[in-house]
Amino acid sequence: MRLKVEFTTEPFDLDEAPAHALVARAVIEAADLDTVDVGPFGNTVEGAAGPVLEAVDALLRESLGAGATRISLQVNVIGAADAKPGAGADGEVLGEGA
């Protein structure tokens, strides 16, 4: 299964990027993702379910720790017409062992 995640961190600062935004960027750029698009008002990442979910977990934890007061996420399953419901790219059922 492949996932696409769009996210923003707040509070916004148009004069300079806040610490939480820089942390979010570092987290997603270090992750094993296929596509990363970082912008001033929103960010998009795509990849296999496992790495995307790991990156989202780190993004939430580290951005909140760096001062984010709100993080908005939208997660979409993409290209999963032939995937089993709840299964990751390697067939592992997502959420088990969590």
Side-chain angles (χ1 to χ4, degrees), residues 20-39:
H20 60 79
L22 297 175
V23 166
R25 175 180 285 186
V27 166
I28 62 166
E29 288 179 343
D32 184 22
L33 303 172
D34 298 336
T35 304
V36 175
D37 182 21
V38 177

Side-chain angles (χ1 to χ4, degrees), residues 8-90:
T8 58
T9 61
E10 297 179 40
F12 293 115
D13 183 342
L14 297 178
D15 294 326
E16 80 178 66
H20 60 79
L22 297 175
V23 166
R25 175 180 285 186
V27 166
I28 62 166
E29 288 179 343
D32 184 22
L33 303 172
D34 298 336
T35 304
V36 175
D37 182 21
V38 177
F41 300 109
N43 309 284
T44 305
V45 301
E46 288 184 21
V52 169
L53 293 173
E54 289 173 15
V56 167
D57 178 61
L59 169 79
L60 292 171
R61 293 173 188 276
E62 294 185 32
S63 295
L64 290 169
T69 58
R70 177 179 174 147
I71 301 171
S72 301
L73 288 170
Q74 180 172 313
V75 180
N76 293 295
V77 175
I78 56 175
D82 56 352
K84 288 197 268 183
D90 60 359

